[in-house]
Amino acid sequence: MTQTDPVPKIVTSRVGLEESWGIKTYLATGGYTALRKALTSMTPEQVADEVSKSNLLGRGGAGFEVGRKWSMLKPAPVRYLVINGDESEPATFKDHMLIENDPHQIVEGTLISAYAVGAARAFIFVRGEFALGLERLQAAVNEAYAHGAIGRNIFGSGFSVDLVVHPGAGAYICGEETALLESLEGKRGFPRIKPPYFPAVMGLYGEPTIVNNVESMSNIPWIVNNGGASFAALGVGRSTGTRIFALAGHVNRPGNYEVEMAKLSFRELVERPEYGGGMRLGRQVKAFIPGGVSAPWFGPDQLDMALSQDDVAKAGSMLGSGSIVMMDDHTCMVRAAWRITKFFWRESCGQCTPCREGSGWIEKMMQRIELGSGREADLDLLLDACDNIAPGLTWPPQQTTICVLGPSIPSSVASAIRMFRDEFLVHIKEGGCPYE
Amino acid sequence: MGAFSPDMRVRAEGLIALYPERRSALIPLCHLAQQEAGYLTRPFMEEIAELTGTTPAEVYGTASFYDMLHTEPVGKYLVGVCTNIACLLQGGGDLLEHAERALGVPAGGTTEDDMFTLEEVECVAHCDKAPAVQVNYRFFGPLTGESFDDLTAKLRAGEYDGVVPPHGTLIRVQRENGIEVPLDEVLAERREMDKAKAARKAAADAAKAKEGN
Amino acid sequence: MSNPETPAVVHITVDGVEVEAMPGEPIIEAAGRAGTFIPRFCYHPRMRAVGMCRMCLVEVSGPRGFSLQPSCYLPVTEGMQVITKSEKVKKAQVGVLEFLLVNHPLDCPVCDKGGECPLQDQTLAYGPGESRFVEEKRHWEKPIEISKLVLLDRERCIQCDRCVRFAREVAGDPFIDFAGRGDNSEVSTFPDGEFTSYFSGNTVQICPVGALTARPYRFKARPWDLEEAESTCTACSFGCRMAVQFSRGEVTRFLGIDSDVVNNSWLCDLGRFAYESLDSEKRLVEPKVRYRSEMAEVSWHDAMSRVGAHIRTFTADHGAGSIAFLGGAGFTNEGIHSFVKLAKTTIGTSLFDADLDGGVPASVVFATPRATLAEALAAKVLVVASADVREELPVLFLRLNDAVKKGLRIVEVSEVETSISALAAERLPLSAARLALALQSGGPDAERLGAAIAAAGEQGDGAVFLVGKSNIADPADVYAALAASASRRWPGAKFLFGNSRANIFGAMDLGAVPGWLPGRVATAPSDDAREIIARAADEPMLLFLLGADPLSEMPDTALVKSALENATVVLIDSFESGAAPYADVLLPLAAYGETAGTTTNFEGRVTRLGRAIVPKGQSKPDYLIAAEIGRELGRPSGPTAPEEIFAEMARELPLYRGLAYAELASNRYPDGLVVPLERKAISIGARPRRLDPIATPGLVAPYHQGPAKPFATEVGAAAAEPGAETPASPRSQLPEVSIDPAAVSVAADGRLRLLLTRRLYRPTAQLAAAPILSKLTAQAEIRVAPATLEAIGKSDGSEVKLRGDHGEEVAVVAKSDKSLPDGVVLGRLGDGANLLLLVKSGTWATHVKVGSN
Amino acid sequence: MGVLDGLKGFKVTFKQLAEPRITTEYPKEKRPKPPRFHGRHVLNRYEDGMEKCIGCELCAGVCPVGCIYVRGKDNPIEDPVSPGERYGFVYEINFLRCIHCDLCVEACPTEAITESKLFEFSFTSREDAIYTKAELVVDDEGKARRMPWEDWHDGDDDLSSGWMRATSPSGDPDYEGVVHWSNELGYGTRAPERGQSDLPPEKASPEFMIRVVKADRIPRKAGGRVR
């Protein structure tokens, strides 16, 4: 299967242009035409229809259809739209790029979505560490305001909405949509307990709220301009359109690449010269993470799998946030898994027991093994502790925790033990890391 | 009495006005306070509590949840070395070790001249330039031991003053317009929209029913 | 509520057994009622479920098959299937417990919770048995003081959020919160701050581990050697149900009982830690008699002869009318009954006043329809015209806070902001006198209140008033007029009264107030406490002070002092109060926990007091002292045991007809009954009633772990006794009280009207005897508008001088308060300055001048 | 019936004449006591003099006859009596009731209470029979204090009945399964008992100097094992 030629650049078309974040460039490249079109010639349902037709899958990690999410919005006088720009999943850097390089596209997508869902106010929650992104996004909002795209009676359509850029303060868990809402309410970022399962029923300030990802929003203007059908024409099956994959790790050209969904395989993405350009130093792939560190790992035998949400899910992992981390054969798998566990331990919010205590315990065990004080029994102990957080260690996971950060903890540890048990045993027997 | 300077107080009140509920402004206000004092001092937390209608204990509890908010003094530059997976694979761990030796403080420590606070940070979404370093939330990478030393030397010399601002994450983030559309006005409009929507739906249903017949 | 669409009951299956559940209740409750205990830590029936500890995970059927769900959070739905005992559930429970113990120190032997610890018990019942954790545990500094009363050991904390939730939701004092993140989370106050809440002790009771411990109880005893007696708190007239726990002759702690109709398991700190004073050195334990100018310890026999001699002398020389009884509001009903009988029949004096404060008088209390607490909380609108509820009836504040969240609408009438102001939908900034005048004569203020009540019903049906003395400087007539005119204006409204002294309503019922005989029977009016004191200053009198201290409780200190100096005083008290130096005879009274009997709370609920230990030293229960005096006077001996006296009361007084002493503590009426027994009580349903709502199996006392007692509905009581008559007077007997316009006059020449209030930790002899609690004693202060302070050139918090109309001067700390209206100075009583000195007996309004020196 | 038949009945008697005499002239002569004999209690201290008792009342709770009365108290920070927050403020044992069942020793989480081998003590007043903390706590040498009415013999206080605690000091997996307990004033650190560790005693608690007090090395006179 090959990509449509030429591959349309839907969200990254302006990346690399001079002052791509300014309104001048944006207007020159067709900016705010979609908003004008939506507000002046379409009803909100028509906009929502187009988005449904496009079958745009949420680009945040869970991959839930944007159109379906909108349709679940409970009718209520006050509705909010919140855009999730709290990108913190390790090795994911696509939203960072979009916020810094094309903030207007996000603003436009947000405004169109606000129109479609009838939001009383829209918030863009930006990860606090993206200081430059915050600057540019706020500047874009100010410019859009001056342009008449935000505020009262936008483009004379009678539709008004305000958009607030909200800075986060550094907590991975705030990427979870209900934790993000709590954080936006000025509280500790504790994910809310389910049910209600969706903020569309009860979200910000207890009102129905739609939470969408920044990249999803960036797709909206194109969909409105070109129609949902032409978006759906790209890609395969449920995986429609293009998508940014963030390639990192041991490749020659790490970076963000917008490719058509499901048309390329992992191998092609890694090896094609316009993308990854092959593994660093010509080494072999030992393992790779297909969709952010929460996802279970894949081995070299799965390199030929297509970049399709459903295919990856069928194989027991996920495309998640679209970040792919390649690890070559000189990588210590125990160390890699330990570092990922350490990340989850540091970022666990501490609300519910299994994640709070389990992450710390697993991290301590992993550290001990990596540093040479492991015991053979620790491997079963690790797996059992993991099992107590995500019963069955299946994917998609079951969980004993409130949110999905819990079952993300075991995925790397369980993958590493499953795939590289002998490497763990070497650490234990030799009393240290063989790669040092 | 207030900890905020008068013009900052104005900015703070402007921030509060952006949200339907006062408490939402708590985190942005903490950023503002750090801009003034470098970290969240107790008078600032007390004033934020007063501004957001919470208690100081709640402000402290909330602020301590977040990595970027410091309730203890930090250096002029917060140097965060990423050691998460993408940077680890490219030698982030070695870079951190180098940084610890070069600055003479362990991760989490502040140099004696209060210039740098070294942190081991989680992924800063700069993975294509791994190993990455953030200084007051501006990103640098890929760095080696030498380029790291070069960076700190230049920071000391003040060569990056324009690029790397002090602690205020929001220092150049300023909303030029307040909220122009009051929420109740928006709501009235949304109700109209919903009414029209319902009418359209009823018409469509009627048409469908007619077709069916 | 009564939506016909909502089914009255839903059916779920728990482990294959069909169970009926109430719609909307969590699985854990439904399963619990059916006898399946699901372990839990963070769940507390009186607070919002958060599902944080994950201990209560069970398998629940859903659209995609069974999955593990928190049973404390998930509400039941029709046809829901729940499995609580599968392998999967067991593994989850073992896993959660193992995780909880990862960072929990195993210092159970040192820990105060050891032996009654839900974590210990549930680990034994559901836990892994063995730890696989070999790493270093998390370390924190061992206990830190988060308030004078509560210590926090963060190492033991399992982050269940109970204390934080309590502080935020129940008490409304969010001075503690989680800080940090992940497994470094800690419960924390603001750095250097304090958890200054009147209710901090409750967090200790609900902590499922030993993270929060109470300073006064710390290491005093272990739960397995505690015995307990059910009792009622007598710190105020709210009458919280509580358990008195004691060990080897020492009362070691009080715990709140989860009583639906009274206190929902909460207690205020003053009530909870009052036991500290029982074992104090400052207790009066020996009878003393004045010989020349010295007090000397004597035997009871000698003391009694002296008392008898005094009574006989005064009767002979000045007539029985020279003998007066003041106080008794802190006594048991049996004690009051015995003393009233002693005074009114044996001695033959009608001078008896239990209400030194001059609160709402009995004539009004008896002539208005009284609401129960449940009625007040379920009312359409509650009008609060009383002193600050949190200071006077603290746990009522918690109940109101809860009720407001469930839809109660409060209209507050108060000229200054109180704790209720934050809860109230509307506040009318009026003084009691102004409102009373407005209600009598009509006017815009009355109309405003009328509009607020109109929502309830034209006749005020569905409205409840809480009327209490909001200004100590006011005469009682103001409040009598206020309640009476409100009752006339809204005949359908019901009333509660904020007289806060412990058993003041029992005292009223038993005729310990002027103009009334036992059983709410009216008689000829006689002098009240104020008039008795005024008389005592001029003529020879014999004063019996029944656990009362007129010096700290009555205004016009100068007059009180001269009265005490002039009169012959017999003081009956447990502690050496301010009146002790004036006493000629001092009789030691058994303290709380040392006496059995009954007490009556502000809604008229008669409950049992538990006797835990023997009276300290030579002290004796109130009813025995009355009996001894009676015997000294040659009266034939009557009943001397509380159950006998109560039986006599039930026999003689229609008000108590149908009550049996034993039944009041039975499973059927564990929280007593409201007298008279004609009122339809509210059926709450079959909620299990437990001492500790966590209801962990394996707690020490069988009381804890026994089968849940089904909650008694009080409807049965009324049916059982159809013959009970209503002794209360009809509304036509409401007194006509006129208010002098001086009560609302504005003073000229810069004088400000003085408004005096009390606080929870008011300085009393008992508080002074409590070593830790006494550190919290309130300091006297005044609050004035900022302009007033500026005018005299003083800063916030500096000392100013108050000058009364009669030349009295008091130096006191002044604070500036923006919320205060003009022309008012708010005085808050406390240690350090005697503001009562400024009030003159019989004046309608007290004015003072604020000066710098 | 033969002549000697009459003597048959004396067979046992004659046999007994040849056997050594086992009756001793108590109290002039005393037999050694078994190593785990339960006698009068002592309250132990750590080597630095701190009391081991933390006032947890577990001994009182487990006592089947209710002869122990303990009250805990907050440890004064400036002059702590025992390590930690809590210490035994009151400790009394009523030896008129005690049945020397040793359950208190088993219950004690800190090895504070153990039993010496003294059983020959008699009192003439109830006051003497109720031992207070001052009488129970060991002296600076780690030896039991001797009351005038007690008849002590050599070895009576050498070996107290000890309860052995096995845990792995937190943090180090190397110690898992290794017996590790605190030093005891006067006794040093005792080696693990059989079955408590798979390792030889010197390896089992490698960090501490061990004064191995093995029961069979103690002279018979002082209560060592007979065989």
Side-chain angles (χ1 to χ4, degrees), chain A residues 79 96 119 127 135 142 145 152 160 163 166 168-170 183-184 186-188 205 249-250 339 346, chain B residues 19 23-24 31 61 66-68 83-84 89-90 120 122-123 125 138 174-175 180 185 189-190 194 200:
Chain A
R79 281 160 283 176
H96 188 189
R127 184 177 173 190
E135 273 177 44
N142 291 342
Y145 222 110
R152 202 188 286 267
S160 327
L163 198 157
H166 180 89
S183 183
L184 189 51
K187 298 175 187 160
R188 297 164 58 80
Y205 310 121
H250 293 148
R339 188 60 189 81
R346 286 179 67 172
Chain B
Y19 299 94
R23 187 167 175 167
S24 277
H31 281 305
Y66 296 99
D67 286 342
M68 290 173 71
T83 60
N84 209 311
L89 297 177
Q90 305 280 16
E120 179 184 9
E122 300 300 344
C123 186
R138 307 290 151 146
Q174 182 133 21
R175 196 172 161 115
E180 199 183 78
E185 202 174 296
E189 191 181 288
R190 285 314 99 93
D194 286 346
R200 277 198 299 276

Side-chain angles (χ1 to χ4, degrees), chain A residues 356-357 364, chain C residues 100 102-105 133 136-140 154-159 182-186:
Chain A
R356 178 184 67 236
E357 306 292 353
K364 280 175 180 158
Chain C
L100 281 175
V102 155
N103 276 318
H104 188 87
F133 181 80
E136 175 94 18
K137 291 190 187 228
R138 172 193 59 198
H139 289 296
W140 293 104
R154 291 163 293 175
E155 290 187 354
R156 293 185 193 139
C157 175
I158 58 167
Q159 278 91 11
D183 65 359
N184 261 323
S185 305
E186 49 167 327

Side-chain angles (χ1 to χ4, degrees), chain C residues 336-348:
Chain C
I336 296 168
H337 182 67
S338 306
F339 268 101
V340 169
K341 257 184 129 168
L342 176 78
K344 296 197 173 172
T345 62
T346 313
I347 298 177

Side-chain angles (χ1 to χ4, degrees), chain D residues 8-9 11 35 57-58 80 86 115 117 126 131 149 158-159 163 178 182 187-188 192 196 205 209-212 221 223:
Chain D
K8 253 187 191 169
K11 188 180 168 191
E57 299 190 30
L58 281 171
R86 179 186 190 126
E115 293 195 339
K117 270 174 258 343
R126 193 180 128 85
Y131 277 54
W149 55 83
D158 265 357
L159 201 71
W163 172 81
V178 173
S182 51
Y187 293 103
Q196 284 199 326
S205 42
M209 184 198 73
I210 309 164
R211 201 181 100 194
V212 183
K221 185 167 117 295

